[in-house]
């Protein structure tokens, strides 16, 4: 982050120009790596996936989801509460939409999730069930959902989050009603419903060697010894900036040595907001560390990010004050984390464009007793923008009252403006302009401006 003061006088308001920086500078004429992540991963024998929201699979979101990833996970659309909110009444609309999109784009689908303690319908959680009734409900649900997509889904997270942090079984509807063997029962039912799908147990905070991951290891070992169908282990990897476990590769390897596949299933790396260049650099290193741990073990089949854009991330609503956890920012610009993933998969290193390749100029085009009209022109030469955001700080109490061709917000003296949906792209050699009206009293000095 840097700042500068322009030194223009009030008298130059009609022609004065203040240079301000544009966020989200990208390599010349490129939004992301030249080779999509899915192709880079395929060359390494890996799958590169993302969780998605079905209703968003259009426009830029859909373009990126289809281009960059070889597997999709429905973020919520296949959970029990989504597909059977009322007993016997099913809603498959979003799940079907995601499966159809994936098939149209040559992608796998990871079914998520069949048996979990959360996001269950109230009729299920509030019911009084005998063990036999509960077991039948579980079997029927698995048969119905897995059966609907038989032969179309590559993998299923059959059982999700069965353990507490200390390695004991989580007290849930399933454990309390059926005992620990609900896990074997669920896996057996899933195999019967679709013999071709790969069946996983999925959990969080099991990325490194610890009490919880050791409990999962012992469970998988026991299931294998008993002949229960279990094909893989999902390590969710909801991580915190700078806290990738040092034993991650070792942990992946010990599960692989049991004869099961391992997948990183829900990767995101959250930080305290606001983000800055140091945090984004650390995040990129963290993403690369996770990718490298998977790449080092042949039975680690791939990595799925839990949403590829910050605008579709669960983190801000769950961890207030934290976010920026995904490889793309909320305007769909690839972050350093994206390029780190690409580099770990063998993609070329992106050469940053010169810092002055894209600039924004602030000018006051007219002024009267209590108000003024201003504009900002964003221009690129030697680079391009896939989206943009500019900001400045007023020094004399000015207020932006109306804006066009941009979305502007003001908090105190600080103003930020970002692209509209129709003018996000600034090509190399091109420009876009947005305008605004403002109020002032006493003076209207050129603001202090910042480069994000």
């Amino acid at each position: 982050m840097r700042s500068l003061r322009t030194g223009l006088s009030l008298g130059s308001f009609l022609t004065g120009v203040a240079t301000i920086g544009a966020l989200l500078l990208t390599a010349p004429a490129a939004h992301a790596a030249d080779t999509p992540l899915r192709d880079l991963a395929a060359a390494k024998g890996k799958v590169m996936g993302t969780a998605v929201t079905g209703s968003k699979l259009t426009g830029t979101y859909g373009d990126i989801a289809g281009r960059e990833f070889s597997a999709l996970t429905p973020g919520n659309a296949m959970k029990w509460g989504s597909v059977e909110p009322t007993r016997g009444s099913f809603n498959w609309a979003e799940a079907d939409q995601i499966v159809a999109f994936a098939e149209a784009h040559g992608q796998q689908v990871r079914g998520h999730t069949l048996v979990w303690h959360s996001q269950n319908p109230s009729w299920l959680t509030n019911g009084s069930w005998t063990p036999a009734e509960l077991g039948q409900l579980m079997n029927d649900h698995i048969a119905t959902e897995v059966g609907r997509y038989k032969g179309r889904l590559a993998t299923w997270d059959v059982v999700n989050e069965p353990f507490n942090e200390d390695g004991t079984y989580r007290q849930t509807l399933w454990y309390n009603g059926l005992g620990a063997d609900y896990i074997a029962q669920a896996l057996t039912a899933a195999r019967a419903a679709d013999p071709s799908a790969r069946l996983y147990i999925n959990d969080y905070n099991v990325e490194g060697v610890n009490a919880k991951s050791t409990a999962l290891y012992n469970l998988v070992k026991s299931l294998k010894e008993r002949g229960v169908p279990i094909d893989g282990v999902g390590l969710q990897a909801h991580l915190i900036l700078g806290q990738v476990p040092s034993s991650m590769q070792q942990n992946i390897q010990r599960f692989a040595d049991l004869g099961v596949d391992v997948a990183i299933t829900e990767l995101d790396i959250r930080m305290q907001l606001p983000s800055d260049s140091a945090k984004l650099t650390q995040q990129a290193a963290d993403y690369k560390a996770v990718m490298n741990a998977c790449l080092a073990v042949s039975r680690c089949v791939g990595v799925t990010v839990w949403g590829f854009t910050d605008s579709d991330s669960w983190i801000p609503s769950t961890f207030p004050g934290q976010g920026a956890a995904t490889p793309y920012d909320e305007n769909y610009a690839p972050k350093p984390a994206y390029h780190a993933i690409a580099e770990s998969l063998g993609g070329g290193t992106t050469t940053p464009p010169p810092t002055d390749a894209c600039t924004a100029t602030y000018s006051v085009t007219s002024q009267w007793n209590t108000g003024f009209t201003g504009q900002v022109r964003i221009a690129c030469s030697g680079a391009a923008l896939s989206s943009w955001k500019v900001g400045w700080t007023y020094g004399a109490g000015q207020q932006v009252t109306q804006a066009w061709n941009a979305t502007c917000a003001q908090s105190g003296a600080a103003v930020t403006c970002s692209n509209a949906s129709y003018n996000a792209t600034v090509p190399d050699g091109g420009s876009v302009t947005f305008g605004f009206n403002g109020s002032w009293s006493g003076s209207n000095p050129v603001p202090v401006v910042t480069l994000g």
Side-chain angles (χ1 to χ4, degrees), residues 3 26-27 35 88 106 115 130 161 169 186 265 280 325 335 348 426 430 441:
S3 64
T26 64
T35 304
V115 181
T130 66
E161 302 173 2
Y169 281 99
T265 55
L280 292 174
K335 291 153 60 175
V426 185
S441 177

PDB file of all heavy atoms in Angstrom, residues 3 26-27 35 88 106 115 130 161 169 186 265 280 325 335 348 426 430 441:
ATOM      1  N   SER A   3       0.870   5.757  -0.747  1.00  0.00           N
ATOM      2  CA  SER A   3       0.023   6.926  -0.933  1.00  0.00           C
ATOM      3  C   SER A   3       0.867   8.065  -1.466  1.00  0.00           C
ATOM      4  O   SER A   3       2.083   8.072  -1.387  1.00  0.00           O
ATOM      5  CB  SER A   3      -0.629   7.326   0.398  1.00  0.00           C
ATOM      6  OG  SER A   3       0.352   7.720   1.320  1.00  0.00           O
ATOM      7  N   THR A  26      -3.370  -7.060 -13.415  1.00  0.00           N
ATOM      8  CA  THR A  26      -3.096  -8.405 -13.886  1.00  0.00           C
ATOM      9  C   THR A  26      -2.019  -8.371 -14.950  1.00  0.00           C
ATOM     10  O   THR A  26      -1.630  -7.318 -15.443  1.00  0.00           O
ATOM     11  CB  THR A  26      -4.355  -9.054 -14.488  1.00  0.00           C
ATOM     12  OG1 THR A  26      -4.743  -8.315 -15.653  1.00  0.00           O
ATOM     13  CG2 THR A  26      -5.494  -9.050 -13.511  1.00  0.00           C
ATOM     14  N   ALA A  27      -1.528  -9.542 -15.302  1.00  0.00           N
ATOM     15  CA  ALA A  27      -0.543  -9.630 -16.370  1.00  0.00           C
ATOM     16  C   ALA A  27      -1.163  -9.145 -17.673  1.00  0.00           C
ATOM     17  O   ALA A  27      -2.372  -9.154 -17.829  1.00  0.00           O
ATOM     18  CB  ALA A  27      -0.064 -11.072 -16.513  1.00  0.00           C
ATOM     19  N   THR A  35      -2.658 -21.574 -18.963  1.00  0.00           N
ATOM     20  CA  THR A  35      -3.223 -22.917 -18.949  1.00  0.00           C
ATOM     21  C   THR A  35      -4.143 -23.048 -17.745  1.00  0.00           C
ATOM     22  O   THR A  35      -3.728 -22.780 -16.619  1.00  0.00           O
ATOM     23  CB  THR A  35      -2.112 -23.975 -18.870  1.00  0.00           C
ATOM     24  OG1 THR A  35      -1.204 -23.790 -19.952  1.00  0.00           O
ATOM     25  CG2 THR A  35      -2.689 -25.380 -18.926  1.00  0.00           C
ATOM     26  N   GLY A  88     -40.489 -37.018   2.657  1.00  0.00           N
ATOM     27  CA  GLY A  88     -41.125 -37.533   1.461  1.00  0.00           C
ATOM     28  C   GLY A  88     -41.290 -36.537   0.337  1.00  0.00           C
ATOM     29  O   GLY A  88     -41.759 -36.886  -0.746  1.00  0.00           O
ATOM     30  N   GLY A 106     -17.399 -31.419 -18.854  1.00  0.00           N
ATOM     31  CA  GLY A 106     -16.444 -32.503 -18.713  1.00  0.00           C
ATOM     32  C   GLY A 106     -15.842 -32.598 -17.323  1.00  0.00           C
ATOM     33  O   GLY A 106     -14.650 -32.930 -17.179  1.00  0.00           O
ATOM     34  N   VAL A 115     -24.424 -38.247   5.356  1.00  0.00           N
ATOM     35  CA  VAL A 115     -24.713 -38.445   6.786  1.00  0.00           C
ATOM     36  C   VAL A 115     -23.865 -37.466   7.591  1.00  0.00           C
ATOM     37  O   VAL A 115     -22.631 -37.576   7.625  1.00  0.00           O
ATOM     38  CB  VAL A 115     -24.427 -39.905   7.218  1.00  0.00           C
ATOM     39  CG1 VAL A 115     -24.745 -40.100   8.696  1.00  0.00           C
ATOM     40  CG2 VAL A 115     -25.241 -40.874   6.367  1.00  0.00           C
ATOM     41  N   THR A 130     -36.805 -44.989  16.995  1.00  0.00           N
ATOM     42  CA  THR A 130     -36.116 -46.158  17.526  1.00  0.00           C
ATOM     43  C   THR A 130     -34.861 -46.379  16.697  1.00  0.00           C
ATOM     44  O   THR A 130     -34.747 -45.868  15.574  1.00  0.00           O
ATOM     45  CB  THR A 130     -37.001 -47.405  17.435  1.00  0.00           C
ATOM     46  OG1 THR A 130     -37.205 -47.723  16.041  1.00  0.00           O
ATOM     47  CG2 THR A 130     -38.343 -47.174  18.124  1.00  0.00           C
ATOM     48  N   GLU A 161     -17.601 -35.433   9.304  1.00  0.00           N
ATOM     49  CA  GLU A 161     -17.274 -34.891  10.629  1.00  0.00           C
ATOM     50  C   GLU A 161     -17.736 -35.777  11.789  1.00  0.00           C
ATOM     51  O   GLU A 161     -18.477 -35.345  12.671  1.00  0.00           O
ATOM     52  CB  GLU A 161     -17.837 -33.471  10.757  1.00  0.00           C
ATOM     53  CG  GLU A 161     -17.297 -32.529   9.684  1.00  0.00           C
ATOM     54  CD  GLU A 161     -17.944 -31.161   9.674  1.00  0.00           C
ATOM     55  OE1 GLU A 161     -18.819 -30.891  10.529  1.00  0.00           O
ATOM     56  OE2 GLU A 161     -17.589 -30.346   8.801  1.00  0.00           O
ATOM     57  N   TYR A 169     -15.807 -39.884  19.537  1.00  0.00           N
ATOM     58  CA  TYR A 169     -16.891 -39.728  18.570  1.00  0.00           C
ATOM     59  C   TYR A 169     -17.774 -38.540  18.956  1.00  0.00           C
ATOM     60  O   TYR A 169     -18.113 -38.348  20.116  1.00  0.00           O
ATOM     61  CB  TYR A 169     -17.738 -40.994  18.488  1.00  0.00           C
ATOM     62  CG  TYR A 169     -17.102 -42.087  17.657  1.00  0.00           C
ATOM     63  CD1 TYR A 169     -16.419 -43.142  18.261  1.00  0.00           C
ATOM     64  CD2 TYR A 169     -17.163 -42.046  16.266  1.00  0.00           C
ATOM     65  CE1 TYR A 169     -15.827 -44.134  17.495  1.00  0.00           C
ATOM     66  CE2 TYR A 169     -16.569 -43.030  15.493  1.00  0.00           C
ATOM     67  CZ  TYR A 169     -15.903 -44.077  16.111  1.00  0.00           C
ATOM     68  OH  TYR A 169     -15.309 -45.051  15.344  1.00  0.00           O
ATOM     69  N   ALA A 186     -23.592 -46.747   6.863  1.00  0.00           N
ATOM     70  CA  ALA A 186     -23.759 -45.754   5.810  1.00  0.00           C
ATOM     71  C   ALA A 186     -22.897 -46.083   4.594  1.00  0.00           C
ATOM     72  O   ALA A 186     -23.359 -45.988   3.446  1.00  0.00           O
ATOM     73  CB  ALA A 186     -23.411 -44.368   6.343  1.00  0.00           C
ATOM     74  N   THR A 265     -10.461 -31.619   0.454  1.00  0.00           N
ATOM     75  CA  THR A 265     -11.830 -31.487  -0.029  1.00  0.00           C
ATOM     76  C   THR A 265     -12.458 -30.111   0.110  1.00  0.00           C
ATOM     77  O   THR A 265     -13.425 -29.808  -0.587  1.00  0.00           O
ATOM     78  CB  THR A 265     -12.732 -32.490   0.697  1.00  0.00           C
ATOM     79  OG1 THR A 265     -12.598 -32.297   2.118  1.00  0.00           O
ATOM     80  CG2 THR A 265     -12.371 -33.919   0.331  1.00  0.00           C
ATOM     81  N   LEU A 280      -1.518 -11.552   1.682  1.00  0.00           N
ATOM     82  CA  LEU A 280      -1.770 -12.275   0.437  1.00  0.00           C
ATOM     83  C   LEU A 280      -0.551 -13.078   0.008  1.00  0.00           C
ATOM     84  O   LEU A 280      -0.682 -14.164  -0.558  1.00  0.00           O
ATOM     85  CB  LEU A 280      -2.180 -11.291  -0.657  1.00  0.00           C
ATOM     86  CG  LEU A 280      -3.544 -10.619  -0.450  1.00  0.00           C
ATOM     87  CD1 LEU A 280      -3.768  -9.549  -1.515  1.00  0.00           C
ATOM     88  CD2 LEU A 280      -4.679 -11.637  -0.469  1.00  0.00           C
ATOM     89  N   ALA A 325     -10.449 -15.680   1.777  1.00  0.00           N
ATOM     90  CA  ALA A 325      -9.899 -17.017   1.992  1.00  0.00           C
ATOM     91  C   ALA A 325      -9.684 -17.826   0.723  1.00  0.00           C
ATOM     92  O   ALA A 325      -9.072 -18.889   0.774  1.00  0.00           O
ATOM     93  CB  ALA A 325     -10.823 -17.801   2.928  1.00  0.00           C
ATOM     94  N   LYS A 335      -5.957 -13.945  -7.315  1.00  0.00           N
ATOM     95  CA  LYS A 335      -5.072 -13.430  -6.282  1.00  0.00           C
ATOM     96  C   LYS A 335      -3.726 -14.165  -6.348  1.00  0.00           C
ATOM     97  O   LYS A 335      -3.570 -15.132  -7.106  1.00  0.00           O
ATOM     98  CB  LYS A 335      -5.740 -13.628  -4.910  1.00  0.00           C
ATOM     99  CG  LYS A 335      -6.962 -12.733  -4.703  1.00  0.00           C
ATOM    100  CD  LYS A 335      -7.973 -13.306  -3.738  1.00  0.00           C
ATOM    101  CE  LYS A 335      -7.425 -13.542  -2.355  1.00  0.00           C
ATOM    102  NZ  LYS A 335      -8.506 -13.987  -1.429  1.00  0.00           N
ATOM    103  N   GLY A 348       3.596 -21.683 -15.486  1.00  0.00           N
ATOM    104  CA  GLY A 348       4.630 -20.664 -15.485  1.00  0.00           C
ATOM    105  C   GLY A 348       4.365 -19.589 -14.456  1.00  0.00           C
ATOM    106  O   GLY A 348       3.221 -19.310 -14.101  1.00  0.00           O
ATOM    107  N   VAL A 426     -10.674  -3.558 -18.386  1.00  0.00           N
ATOM    108  CA  VAL A 426      -9.942  -2.460 -19.033  1.00  0.00           C
ATOM    109  C   VAL A 426      -8.827  -3.112 -19.844  1.00  0.00           C
ATOM    110  O   VAL A 426      -7.852  -3.607 -19.280  1.00  0.00           O
ATOM    111  CB  VAL A 426      -9.358  -1.469 -18.016  1.00  0.00           C
ATOM    112  CG1 VAL A 426      -8.709  -0.288 -18.744  1.00  0.00           C
ATOM    113  CG2 VAL A 426     -10.415  -0.986 -17.040  1.00  0.00           C
ATOM    114  N   GLY A 430      -6.645   0.510 -23.410  1.00  0.00           N
ATOM    115  CA  GLY A 430      -8.004   1.028 -23.304  1.00  0.00           C
ATOM    116  C   GLY A 430      -8.240   1.769 -21.996  1.00  0.00           C
ATOM    117  O   GLY A 430      -7.344   1.903 -21.157  1.00  0.00           O
ATOM    118  N   SER A 441     -18.153  22.402   1.145  1.00  0.00           N
ATOM    119  CA  SER A 441     -18.432  23.649   1.857  1.00  0.00           C
ATOM    120  C   SER A 441     -17.120  24.285   2.260  1.00  0.00           C
ATOM    121  O   SER A 441     -16.331  23.670   2.973  1.00  0.00           O
ATOM    122  CB  SER A 441     -19.301  23.380   3.099  1.00  0.00           C
ATOM    123  OG  SER A 441     -19.519  24.563   3.836  1.00  0.00           O
TER     124      SER A 441
END
